[in-house]
Protein backbone atom coordinates (compact mmCIF):
# COMPACT_ATOMS: atom_id res chain seq x y z
CA UNK A 1 0.00 0.00 0.00
CA UNK A 2 2.87 2.38 0.84
CA UNK A 3 4.48 1.69 -2.54
CA UNK A 4 1.14 2.28 -4.29
CA UNK A 5 0.70 5.66 -2.56
CA UNK A 6 4.20 6.68 -3.58
CA UNK A 7 3.52 5.68 -7.18
CA UNK A 8 0.25 7.64 -7.25
CA UNK A 9 1.97 10.77 -5.91
CA UNK A 10 4.68 10.48 -8.56
CA UNK A 11 2.07 10.25 -11.30
CA UNK A 12 -0.20 13.03 -10.05
CA UNK A 13 2.21 15.78 -8.98
CA UNK A 14 3.58 16.73 -12.44
CA UNK A 15 0.15 17.08 -14.06
CA UNK A 16 -0.77 20.63 -12.92
CA UNK A 17 2.80 21.75 -13.60
CA UNK A 18 2.55 20.53 -17.18
CA UNK A 19 -0.80 22.25 -17.65
CA UNK A 20 0.60 25.53 -16.32
CA UNK A 21 3.61 25.29 -18.62
CA UNK A 22 1.36 24.80 -21.64
CA UNK A 23 -0.91 27.79 -21.02
CA UNK A 24 -1.08 29.99 -24.08
CA UNK A 25 0.38 33.48 -23.91
CA UNK A 26 -0.20 34.57 -27.53
CA UNK A 27 -3.57 35.03 -29.24
CA UNK A 28 -4.96 36.55 -32.41
CA UNK A 29 -8.73 37.15 -32.37
CA UNK A 30 -10.93 38.33 -35.21
CA UNK A 31 -14.42 39.72 -34.56
CA UNK A 32 -15.84 39.78 -38.06
CA UNK A 33 -18.20 37.39 -39.88
CA UNK A 34 -15.49 35.66 -41.93
CA UNK A 35 -12.70 33.25 -41.08
CA UNK A 36 -9.22 34.83 -41.13
CA UNK A 37 -6.11 32.64 -41.56
CA UNK A 38 -4.03 32.65 -38.38
CA UNK A 39 -6.82 34.17 -36.26
CA UNK A 40 -9.40 32.72 -33.89
CA UNK A 41 -12.82 33.89 -35.03
CA UNK A 42 -14.92 34.83 -32.00
CA UNK A 43 -18.68 34.31 -32.12
CA UNK A 44 -20.83 36.93 -30.33
CA UNK A 45 -22.28 34.11 -28.24
CA UNK A 46 -18.88 33.11 -26.85
CA UNK A 47 -19.02 33.53 -23.07
CA UNK A 48 -15.86 33.66 -20.96
CA UNK A 49 -15.27 30.86 -18.46
CA UNK A 50 -12.22 29.10 -17.05
CA UNK A 51 -13.00 26.24 -19.43
CA UNK A 52 -13.48 28.45 -22.51
CA UNK A 53 -10.31 30.49 -21.76
CA UNK A 54 -11.63 33.49 -23.72
CA UNK A 55 -14.97 35.14 -24.46
CA UNK A 56 -17.33 37.98 -23.59
CA UNK A 57 -17.65 38.66 -19.89
CA UNK A 58 -20.10 40.03 -17.30
CA UNK A 59 -23.19 39.24 -19.38
CA UNK A 60 -22.32 41.64 -22.21
CA UNK A 61 -23.56 40.80 -25.71
CA UNK A 62 -22.04 42.75 -28.60
CA UNK A 63 -23.38 42.33 -32.11
CA UNK A 64 -21.59 41.54 -35.36
CA UNK A 65 -21.75 44.03 -38.24
CA UNK A 66 -20.91 42.66 -41.69
CA UNK A 67 -19.40 45.29 -44.02
CA UNK A 68 -18.63 42.65 -46.69
CA UNK A 69 -15.13 44.02 -47.18
CA UNK A 70 -12.69 42.37 -49.55
CA UNK A 71 -10.11 41.80 -46.81
CA UNK A 72 -11.34 39.15 -44.32
CA UNK A 73 -9.78 40.83 -41.26
CA UNK A 74 -11.67 44.08 -41.84
CA UNK A 75 -14.81 42.64 -43.39
CA UNK A 76 -16.83 43.25 -40.22
CA UNK A 77 -16.64 44.05 -36.52
CA UNK A 78 -18.21 43.81 -33.07
CA UNK A 79 -19.97 46.78 -31.53
CA UNK A 80 -22.58 47.66 -28.91
CA UNK A 81 -24.57 50.61 -27.62
CA UNK A 82 -23.30 49.72 -24.14
CA UNK A 83 -19.79 48.89 -22.89
CA UNK A 84 -18.83 45.28 -23.58
CA UNK A 85 -16.16 43.17 -21.93
CA UNK A 86 -13.84 40.54 -23.40
CA UNK A 87 -11.57 38.39 -21.20
CA UNK A 88 -8.67 36.05 -21.96
CA UNK A 89 -7.07 33.65 -19.46
CA UNK A 90 -3.34 34.46 -19.24
CA UNK A 91 -0.50 33.92 -16.76
CA UNK A 92 1.06 36.84 -14.92
CA UNK A 93 3.25 39.21 -16.91
CA UNK A 94 3.38 42.01 -19.46
CA UNK A 95 1.56 41.71 -22.79
CA UNK A 96 1.66 43.65 -26.03
CA UNK A 97 -1.80 44.25 -27.41
CA UNK A 98 -2.93 45.44 -30.84
CA UNK A 99 -6.51 46.47 -31.64
CA UNK A 100 -7.92 47.35 -35.05
CA UNK A 101 -10.82 49.81 -35.11
CA UNK A 102 -12.56 51.98 -37.71
CA UNK A 103 -15.33 51.63 -40.32
CA UNK A 104 -15.54 51.94 -44.12
CA UNK A 105 -18.92 53.70 -43.89
CA UNK A 106 -19.14 55.72 -40.67
CA UNK A 107 -16.94 57.59 -38.19
CA UNK A 108 -15.93 55.64 -35.11
CA UNK A 109 -14.88 56.55 -31.57
CA UNK A 110 -13.49 53.91 -29.27
CA UNK A 111 -12.26 53.99 -25.67
CA UNK A 112 -10.45 50.93 -24.30
CA UNK A 113 -9.98 50.17 -20.63
CA UNK A 114 -8.37 47.08 -19.13
CA UNK A 115 -8.62 45.22 -15.85
CA UNK A 116 -10.18 47.51 -13.19
CA UNK A 117 -11.00 50.46 -15.47
CA UNK A 118 -7.34 51.10 -16.38
CA UNK A 119 -7.42 53.62 -19.23
CA UNK A 120 -5.44 52.37 -22.25
CA UNK A 121 -6.85 54.35 -25.20
CA UNK A 122 -9.21 57.31 -24.85
CA UNK A 123 -11.58 58.37 -27.65
CA UNK A 124 -9.68 56.91 -30.59
CA UNK A 125 -11.45 58.54 -33.55
CA UNK A 126 -11.52 57.52 -37.22
CA UNK A 127 -13.20 59.11 -40.23
CA UNK A 128 -15.37 57.04 -42.62
CA UNK A 129 -13.19 54.71 -44.68
CA UNK A 130 -10.29 54.92 -42.22
CA UNK A 131 -8.86 52.35 -39.83
CA UNK A 132 -6.69 52.71 -36.75
CA UNK A 133 -4.28 50.22 -35.17
CA UNK A 134 -3.94 50.81 -31.43
CA UNK A 135 -0.92 49.32 -29.66
CA UNK A 136 0.09 49.25 -26.00
CA UNK A 137 1.60 47.02 -23.32
CA UNK A 138 -0.52 45.87 -20.37
CA UNK A 139 0.43 44.22 -17.07
CA UNK A 140 -1.58 41.54 -15.32
CA UNK A 141 -0.77 40.07 -11.91
CA UNK A 142 -1.75 37.44 -9.36
CA UNK A 143 -1.47 37.61 -5.54
CA UNK A 144 0.92 34.64 -5.25
CA UNK A 145 4.57 35.56 -4.61
CA UNK A 146 6.79 33.26 -6.68
CA UNK A 147 9.34 31.19 -4.77
CA UNK A 148 7.48 31.55 -1.47
CA UNK A 149 4.35 30.28 0.24
CA UNK A 150 3.18 33.87 0.72
CA UNK A 151 0.55 35.96 -1.02
CA UNK A 152 -0.49 39.58 -1.15
CA UNK A 153 -2.96 40.11 1.68
CA UNK A 154 -5.91 41.68 -0.06
CA UNK A 155 -8.63 43.80 1.49
CA UNK A 156 -12.23 42.48 1.32
CA UNK A 157 -13.05 45.03 -1.40
CA UNK A 158 -10.30 43.50 -3.56
CA UNK A 159 -11.59 39.92 -3.50
CA UNK A 160 -13.49 40.38 -6.76
CA UNK A 161 -11.14 42.95 -8.24
CA UNK A 162 -10.08 42.34 -11.84
CA UNK A 163 -6.49 43.40 -11.15
CA UNK A 164 -5.75 40.22 -9.17
CA UNK A 165 -7.10 37.41 -11.34
CA UNK A 166 -5.55 35.12 -13.96
CA UNK A 167 -7.18 36.78 -16.94
CA UNK A 168 -6.82 39.96 -18.96
CA UNK A 169 -10.13 41.82 -19.26
CA UNK A 170 -10.86 44.52 -21.83
CA UNK A 171 -13.73 47.01 -21.71
CA UNK A 172 -14.69 48.48 -25.09
CA UNK A 173 -16.79 51.61 -24.92
CA UNK A 174 -17.38 54.96 -26.64
CA UNK A 175 -20.05 56.48 -28.88
CA UNK A 176 -19.27 53.98 -31.70
CA UNK A 177 -16.71 51.35 -30.69
CA UNK A 178 -15.98 49.16 -33.73
CA UNK A 179 -13.55 46.32 -32.94
CA UNK A 180 -12.21 44.19 -35.81
CA UNK A 181 -9.31 42.32 -34.25
CA UNK A 182 -7.30 41.89 -31.06
CA UNK A 183 -3.74 40.54 -30.91
CA UNK A 184 -2.07 39.59 -27.60
CA UNK A 185 1.55 38.51 -27.15
CA UNK A 186 3.71 38.22 -24.05
CA UNK A 187 6.55 40.76 -23.73
CA UNK A 188 9.29 39.56 -21.39
CA UNK A 189 11.41 42.65 -21.98
CA UNK A 190 8.88 45.43 -21.39
CA UNK A 191 9.75 48.12 -18.85
CA UNK A 192 7.39 47.87 -15.88
CA UNK A 193 6.35 50.98 -13.96
CA UNK A 194 5.18 49.79 -10.52
CA UNK A 195 2.88 52.09 -8.56
CA UNK A 196 2.82 52.02 -4.76
CA UNK A 197 0.24 54.24 -3.12
CA UNK A 198 -3.23 54.74 -1.69
CA UNK A 199 -6.70 55.74 -2.98
CA UNK A 200 -5.28 58.61 -5.03
CA UNK A 201 -3.28 56.05 -7.04
CA UNK A 202 -5.32 52.81 -7.00
CA UNK A 203 -7.31 51.43 -9.95
CA UNK A 204 -10.76 52.46 -8.71
CA UNK A 205 -13.56 49.98 -9.49
CA UNK A 206 -16.61 52.13 -10.14
CA UNK A 207 -17.57 55.43 -11.77
CA UNK A 208 -17.28 58.27 -10.95
CA UNK A 209 -14.23 57.34 -8.84
CA UNK A 210 -10.86 57.56 -10.57
CA UNK A 211 -7.20 58.08 -9.72
CA UNK A 212 -4.14 59.34 -11.55
CA UNK A 213 -2.69 55.81 -11.39
CA UNK A 214 -5.36 54.29 -13.60
CA UNK A 215 -5.18 57.16 -16.11
CA UNK A 216 -1.39 56.94 -16.37
CA UNK A 217 -1.20 54.01 -18.88
CA UNK A 218 -2.83 55.94 -21.74
CA UNK A 219 0.15 58.33 -21.83
CA UNK A 220 2.76 55.59 -22.32
CA UNK A 221 3.92 53.95 -25.53
CA UNK A 222 4.13 50.26 -26.38
CA UNK A 223 6.89 48.52 -24.44
CA UNK A 224 6.07 50.19 -21.11
CA UNK A 225 3.51 48.61 -18.77
CA UNK A 226 1.98 50.02 -15.59
CA UNK A 227 1.63 47.59 -12.67
CA UNK A 228 -0.58 49.42 -10.19
CA UNK A 229 -0.17 47.78 -6.76
CA UNK A 230 -1.75 50.69 -4.86
CA UNK A 231 -4.81 50.22 -2.68
CA UNK A 232 -7.17 52.54 -0.81
CA UNK A 233 -6.31 53.29 2.81
CA UNK A 234 -2.71 52.10 2.66
CA UNK A 235 0.34 53.72 4.22
CA UNK A 236 3.98 52.78 3.70
CA UNK A 237 3.62 50.48 6.71
CA UNK A 238 0.50 48.64 5.54
CA UNK A 239 1.91 48.37 1.99
CA UNK A 240 4.76 46.45 3.62
CA UNK A 241 2.69 44.36 6.04
CA UNK A 242 0.28 43.24 3.30
CA UNK A 243 3.25 41.84 1.30
CA UNK A 244 2.71 44.24 -1.59
CA UNK A 245 6.27 45.51 -1.60
CA UNK A 246 7.54 41.94 -1.37
CA UNK A 247 5.42 41.11 -4.42
CA UNK A 248 6.88 44.06 -6.35
CA UNK A 249 10.45 43.03 -5.49
CA UNK A 250 9.75 39.42 -6.54
CA UNK A 251 8.96 40.43 -10.14
CA UNK A 252 11.14 43.53 -10.50
CA UNK A 253 13.89 43.48 -13.13
CA UNK A 254 16.70 45.97 -13.89
CA UNK A 255 15.44 49.12 -15.57
CA UNK A 256 11.96 48.96 -14.03
CA UNK A 257 10.51 51.94 -12.16
CA UNK A 258 8.73 52.28 -8.81
CA UNK A 259 6.57 55.38 -8.29
CA UNK A 260 5.96 55.83 -4.55
CA UNK A 261 3.17 58.09 -3.31
CA UNK A 262 2.13 57.96 0.33
CA UNK A 263 1.32 60.48 3.05
CA UNK A 264 -2.46 60.76 3.37
CA UNK A 265 -2.79 57.74 5.63
CA UNK A 266 0.72 57.81 7.13
CA UNK A 267 -0.06 61.10 8.90
CA UNK A 268 -2.82 59.36 10.85
CA UNK A 269 -0.33 57.00 12.52
CA UNK A 270 0.43 58.23 16.03
CA UNK A 271 3.12 57.05 18.42
CA UNK A 272 6.67 57.70 19.65
CA UNK A 273 8.26 56.27 16.50
CA UNK A 274 5.65 57.45 14.00
CA UNK A 275 5.44 60.63 11.98
CA UNK A 276 7.12 62.35 9.06
CA UNK A 277 10.59 62.39 10.68
CA UNK A 278 10.63 58.78 11.92
CA UNK A 279 8.59 55.88 10.51
CA UNK A 280 7.60 57.64 7.27
CA UNK A 281 11.12 58.70 6.33
CA UNK A 282 12.68 55.39 7.42
CA UNK A 283 10.21 53.33 5.41
CA UNK A 284 10.55 55.55 2.36
CA UNK A 285 14.32 55.11 2.51
CA UNK A 286 13.82 51.34 2.78
CA UNK A 287 11.61 51.29 -0.33
CA UNK A 288 14.17 53.30 -2.30
CA UNK A 289 17.19 51.23 -1.24
CA UNK A 290 15.57 47.82 -1.73
CA UNK A 291 14.24 48.67 -5.20
CA UNK A 292 17.66 50.00 -6.24
CA UNK A 293 19.39 46.76 -5.20
CA UNK A 294 17.96 44.96 -8.24
CA UNK A 295 18.73 47.76 -10.67
CA UNK A 296 15.37 49.49 -10.43
CA UNK A 297 14.69 53.23 -10.52
CA UNK A 298 12.59 54.57 -7.60
CA UNK A 299 10.64 57.82 -8.04
CA UNK A 300 9.16 59.60 -4.99
CA UNK A 301 5.85 61.27 -5.89
CA UNK A 302 4.65 64.13 -3.69
CA UNK A 303 1.25 63.30 -2.14
CA UNK A 304 -1.77 65.20 -3.42
CA UNK A 305 -3.04 67.99 -1.19
CA UNK A 306 -6.04 67.16 0.98
CA UNK A 307 -9.31 68.80 0.06
CA UNK A 308 -10.68 71.37 2.51
CA UNK A 309 -14.47 71.36 2.82
Amino acid sequence: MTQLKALISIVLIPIPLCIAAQQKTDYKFSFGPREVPGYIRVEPSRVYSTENMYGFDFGTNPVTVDRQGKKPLISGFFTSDNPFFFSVALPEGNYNIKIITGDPEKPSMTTVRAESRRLIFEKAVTRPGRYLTLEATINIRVPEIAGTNEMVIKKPRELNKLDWDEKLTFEFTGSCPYIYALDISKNENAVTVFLAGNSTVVDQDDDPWASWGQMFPCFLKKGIAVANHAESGLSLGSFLSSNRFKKVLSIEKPGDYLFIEFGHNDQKEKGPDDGAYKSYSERMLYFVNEFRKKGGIPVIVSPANRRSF
Side-chain angles (χ1 to χ4, degrees):
M1 180 62 72
T2 302
Q3 291 178 338
L4 179 59
K5 287 182 178 179
L7 179 60
I8 291 172
S9 64
I10 291 172
V11 172
L12 293 180
I13 288 174
I15 291 177
L17 299 178
C18 293
I19 292 172
Q22 295 172 357
Q23 186 174 355
K24 280 176 64 67
T25 57
D26 293 58
Y27 285 93
K28 289 179 176 287
F29 298 107
S30 67
F31 299 122
R34 293 161 59 182
E35 297 290 341
V36 181
Y39 283 76
I40 300 170
R41 180 172 172 265
V42 181
E43 296 282 353
S45 58
R46 177 86 178 193
V47 176
Y48 177 82
S49 68
T50 52
E51 294 77 22
N52 282 345
M53 304 294 286
Y54 64 88
F56 294 100
D57 217 341
F58 308 112
T60 53
N61 303 106
V63 295
T64 304
V65 176
D66 188 353
R67 289 296 193 231
Q68 299 181 342
K70 294 181 179 179
K71 297 180 179 179
L73 190 60
I74 53 175
S75 63
F77 52 81
F78 277 168
T79 189
S80 177
D81 293 332
N82 299 304
F84 59 100
F85 296 83
F86 184 78
S87 293
V88 185
L90 292 167
E92 182 175 60
N94 294 324
Y95 291 85
N96 289 340
I97 60 124
K98 181 168 68 174
I99 298 167
I100 300 176
T101 183
D103 186 20
E105 299 180 8
K106 299 178 180 180
S108 73
M109 188 181 76
T110 303
T111 291
V112 181
R113 299 193 286 197
E115 302 293 85
S116 291
R117 299 176 55 245
R118 200 181 306 165
L119 187 61
I120 309 300
F121 305 108
E122 184 179 23
K123 297 179 181 178
V125 175
T126 63
R127 300 195 305 271
R130 299 284 183 170
Y131 301 92
L132 198 59
T133 299
L134 308 172
E135 296 188 81
T137 305
I138 299 176
N139 174 270
I140 62 173
R141 65 179 184 271
V142 295
E144 292 80 11
I145 301 173
T148 73
N149 293 321
E150 297 179 281
M151 300 178 65
V152 171
I153 302 170
K154 296 186 291 183
K155 290 189 171 186
R157 67 181 292 275
E158 295 182 273
L159 296 180
N160 297 315
K161 198 165 187 177
L162 298 176
D163 287 325
W164 288 110
D165 54 17
E166 295 180 339
K167 64 179 180 179
L168 176 55
T169 300
F170 295 90
E171 176 189 355
F172 300 109
T173 185
S175 59
C176 4
Y178 302 149
I179 308 300
Y180 289 86
L182 168 64
D183 294 7
I184 302 172
S185 59
K186 195 162 191 185
N187 185 341
E188 301 285 1
N189 300 314
V191 173
T192 305
V193 180
F194 296 96
L195 304 184
N198 49 40
S199 58
T200 64
V201 189
V202 69
D203 288 345
Q204 297 282 359
D205 292 338
D206 301 308
D207 288 316
W209 308 107
S211 73
W212 70 260
Q214 67 190 137
M215 303 300 162
F216 191 31
C218 75
F219 297 101
L220 302 177
K221 65 181 182 179
K222 177 184 173 183
I224 305 173
V226 174
N228 193 347
H229 289 252
E231 177 52 40
S232 296
L234 294 187
S235 64
L236 282 162
S238 52
F239 195 90
L240 283 168
S241 63
S242 59
N243 293 331
R244 293 168 198 268
F245 190 50
K246 186 176 290 186
K247 173 68 179 182
V248 169
L249 294 176
S250 73
I251 52 180
E252 175 200 354
K253 61 186 186 304
D256 287 344
Y257 288 79
L258 174 64
F259 284 32
I260 314 163
E261 188 211 295
F262 289 99
H264 281 282
N265 302 306
D266 304 72
Q267 69 178 359
K268 301 174 187 176
E269 297 176 347
K270 306 297 181 184
D273 291 322
D274 288 323
Y277 300 101
K278 186 62 177 174
S279 62
Y280 180 83
S281 56
E282 289 178 352
R283 288 166 180 161
M284 184 67 78
L285 188 61
Y286 175 75
F287 274 53
V288 168
N289 289 337
E290 291 300 305
F291 198 75
R292 280 178 174 166
K293 284 181 181 179
K294 296 182 68 175
I297 304 163
V299 178
I300 299 174
V301 181
S302 299
N305 188 38
R306 282 188 175 275
R307 291 183 63 188
S308 297
F309 293 92

